[in-house]
Amino acid sequence: MINDHQMSDYLPTPESSRETATDSGSAPACDLLVEGGILVTLDDRRRVIADGSVAIAGDRIVALGRRADLGRFRASAGRIVDCSGKLVLPGLTDGHTHLFQILGRGLGDGMSLVPWLRHFMLPYSLNMNRETAVAAAKLGALQAALSGTTMVVDNHYAPTDTESTLAVAAAVEEVGIRGAIARGIFGGMNPGAELMGVPTDFFAWTDAEDLSITEECMAERPAGSLVEVWPCPENIVYVTPDIIEGSAQLAEDGGVRWHMHCSEARDEIGFFESVHADRPVSWLEKRGVLTHRTTLAHAIWLDPDEVAGMGAAGATAVHNPISNQYLASGVLHLDPLLSAGANVALGSDGVAVAGQDMFEAMKAGTLMHRVAHLDSTATTVEQFLELAALGGASMTGVDGGVLAAGRVADLVILDVDNIRHTPWNRPVASMVHSGRSGDVDMVVVAGEVIVEHGRSTRVDEAEVRAAASAATKQLFGEAQLTGLTRDWQ
């Protein structure tokens, strides 16, 4: 247990620690009172409050501060959770993942992006059906929840008919986390797709038909749903301008964001220029579709003008540091993007290339930029926590990423009473450098406890794993992927 001497370094001044809700003079409504933890608030003053409490009513935080100052909530609290010696964080967002890819865990290692797509992921994807996709999505969403992720942006592109897309959204909601199912849109075959070697089977619908299916899904899962549907032109290289412009318009009309792979690999820039005679982000800006609703996965190979354009638009670049190292794709221009005014969120890119653990992503990102710049001051642990929480909230439009009165009650509670966190000297540094998903004790989403004592309160883990294992056997036989499963490559 963390002792009083260790905690004393993080005691705030009385003025900065007082309860942030208005005192009504009587016991206020409180459904859940989380008390006694170390609160890493990420509020405007970036307070770290030892022996702190968070009061929740419905899906909102109604107050937080020192436990001694929130005692009046105890009388009305529907439930009180003792978090003494535990770390309480805002919810974390995985800004780019592929839940359906989880059945391919461990395959495709040692390939760069284009061969990885051609020889592994695209054949894998073409052989997914609704049943296997739902089994994979539920397993991926459960792993995300148990890892402290409260929202995922899931780029789903296998299969993408209306019923399958909505079934995947329902599977994510069943686990209890927030989600944006970014429905992968391909439209008709085009020159960029031929250059990338994308199989023609992916281009099953016309541009208009694919956009119409997306609109149908968005109507069923509109803005404000726990799990929304977003338009997602799959990759800027292998979709048409009409698909991109139509997706941006759907997002504007529906009040959501839109998502797309963009400038991930150096080769993609040449492919795009050969078709459009322009660089990808420059093209988006000139077409008028680069806005605050634009969320670009990877966005690595940008020139200075494109970085400036991202900043001027307030667009989001989703940084996937583990994936970018796994596929040797490159290093995001982190400081230039932030300095220009762009939003940067953090993503895992899914289990097929990462691990879906945002604690791993925070550590990997922190260290990646230090070695890339040969400068140990190039990043801080605080910066990467901000990307995972605040950057993700800004990207998705969720009123979270911070512990503050009035914000959504999305919390992650870590049990740091273990050997990896002893001695406990600096909370955020210990969490980023030594933390892992196994530290997650409790997860609260929209005021509901969806993980307790490291286990789901909503779904049976054994059943989810069994369904995923059965789906994997079926998929591997149909996709003929057994050549990738050798014990020693």
Side-chain angles (χ1 to χ4, degrees):
M1 195 68 70
I2 300 169
N3 61 44
D4 292 339
H5 174 70
Q6 290 172 311
M7 279 187 169
S8 65
D9 292 337
Y10 306 104
L11 291 176
T13 61
E15 290 75 20
S16 68
S17 65
R18 288 199 184 107
E19 178 187 333
T20 55
T22 302
D23 190 340
S24 65
S26 60
C30 176
D31 299 314
L32 177 64
L33 182 63
V34 173
E35 65 176 18
I38 303 171
L39 312 183
V40 180
T41 65
L42 289 185
D43 65 7
D44 291 343
R45 289 176 284 167
R46 298 299 192 266
R47 291 179 299 158
V48 177
I49 304 174
D51 198 23
S53 294
V54 181
I56 296 167
D59 67 349
R60 296 277 160 172
I61 296 171
V62 293
L64 79 158
R66 290 287 299 278
R67 171 158 48 178
D69 296 327
L70 267 67
R72 66 193 182 86
F73 285 90
R74 297 187 109 256
S76 63
R79 182 181 179 191
I80 299 173
V81 177
D82 182 7
C83 289
S84 301
K86 295 178 181 177
L87 199 62
V88 183
L89 309 171
L92 305 178
T93 296
D94 186 345
H96 178 68
T97 190
H98 302 278
L99 297 178
F100 80 90
Q101 293 180 3
I102 196 169
L103 305 186
R105 191 192 300 270
L107 305 187
D109 185 57
M111 299 179 181
S112 60
L113 177 63
V114 175
W116 183 87
L117 286 168
R118 289 176 179 171
H119 302 302
F120 167 40
M121 189 44 59
L122 295 180
Y124 170 102
S125 303
L126 282 173
N127 286 278
M128 294 289 290
N129 59 35
R130 188 176 307 157
E131 181 182 3
T132 54
V134 167
K138 192 175 292 186
L139 179 67
L142 177 59
Q143 182 172 338
L146 298 179
S147 301
T149 298
T150 57
M151 177 154 188
V152 295
V153 178
D154 173 35
N155 175 205
H156 176 73
Y157 60 89
T160 58
D161 59 278
T162 302
E163 292 78 9
S164 296
T165 303
L166 295 177
V168 165
V172 173
E173 184 163 315
E174 186 177 350
V175 172
I177 60 175
R178 297 182 191 273
I181 307 303
R183 178 188 176 270
I185 306 172
F186 289 81
M189 193 65 182
N190 60 84
E194 294 174 0
L195 287 170
M196 287 281 285
V198 183
T200 57
D201 291 350
F202 278 99
F203 301 88
W205 293 293
T206 66
D207 289 3
E209 288 170 340
D210 225 346
L211 289 168
S212 178
I213 293 169
T214 304
E215 190 172 17
E216 275 184 9
C217 295
M218 291 172 64
E220 292 293 324
R221 290 277 178 175
S225 303
L226 188 73
V227 181
E228 305 173 343
V229 172
W230 293 0
C232 179
E234 190 53 42
N235 184 305
I236 194 168
V237 176
Y238 51 78
V239 298
T240 66
D242 286 348
I243 286 287
I244 295 171
E245 292 173 347
S247 295
Q249 189 61 55
L250 283 177
E252 181 71 29
D253 294 345
V256 296
R257 275 46 172 175
W258 64 280
H259 195 58
M260 181 171 64
H261 289 90
C262 184
S263 303
E264 177 179 0
R266 182 159 40 188
D267 290 347
E268 291 179 311
I269 307 302
F271 292 153
F272 188 85
E273 287 180 320
S274 71
V275 176
H276 300 283
D278 203 350
R279 295 179 62 86
V281 173
S282 174
W283 183 91
L284 292 173
E285 186 176 19
K286 290 171 184 174
R287 290 278 182 149
V289 293
L290 189 66
T291 72
H292 75 283
R293 297 190 188 278
T294 306
T295 68
L296 301 181
H298 302 288
I300 296 168
W301 294 95
L302 310 185
D303 69 12
D305 289 339
E306 290 178 302
V307 169
M310 290 282 289
T316 294
V318 185
H319 187 14
N320 302 281
I322 301 177
S323 167
N324 296 343
Q325 293 174 83
Y326 182 100
L327 295 169
S329 299
V331 181
L332 181 92
H333 299 300
L334 179 60
D335 281 345
L337 281 164
L338 292 172
S339 297
N343 180 51
V344 178
L346 198 61
S348 72
D349 206 11
V351 167
V353 291
Q356 214 154 294
D357 184 333
M358 296 307 293
F359 296 96
E360 287 184 356
M362 284 188 278
K363 180 175 182 176
T366 299
L367 301 181
M368 178 187 199
H369 293 271
R370 293 180 185 181
V371 73
H373 295 283
L374 298 179
D375 179 2
S376 61
T377 68
T379 57
T380 66
V381 290
E382 290 84 0
Q383 179 183 43
F384 271 80
L385 176 58
E386 289 174 343
L387 299 186
L390 293 168
S394 179
M395 169 192 179
T396 58
V398 172
D399 189 21
V402 60
L403 302 181
R407 298 299 190 98
V408 294
D410 293 358
L411 317 178
V412 181
I413 300 169
L414 307 181
D415 186 347
V416 291
D417 183 19
N418 58 57
I419 196 166
R420 286 179 294 99
H421 294 290
T422 304
W424 180 256
N425 297 317
R426 190 169 160 236
V428 177
S430 186
M431 180 199 67
V432 171
H433 286 306
S434 302
R436 60 183 61 172
S437 59
D439 295 333
V440 175
D441 179 66
M442 180 175 283
V443 177
V444 179
V445 176
E448 178 188 350
V449 177
I450 67 163
V451 172
E452 186 162 11
H453 305 311
R455 302 191 68 83
S456 173
T457 63
R458 281 175 147 252
V459 297
D460 185 296
E461 181 178 332
E463 291 180 2
V464 171
R465 292 173 59 189
S469 295
T472 302
K473 291 179 182 178
Q474 176 187 338
L475 174 64
F476 279 26
E478 294 173 356
Q480 298 181 345
L481 295 174
T482 51
L484 297 174
T485 63
R486 295 190 303 271
D487 290 336
W488 189 270
Q489 301 284 4

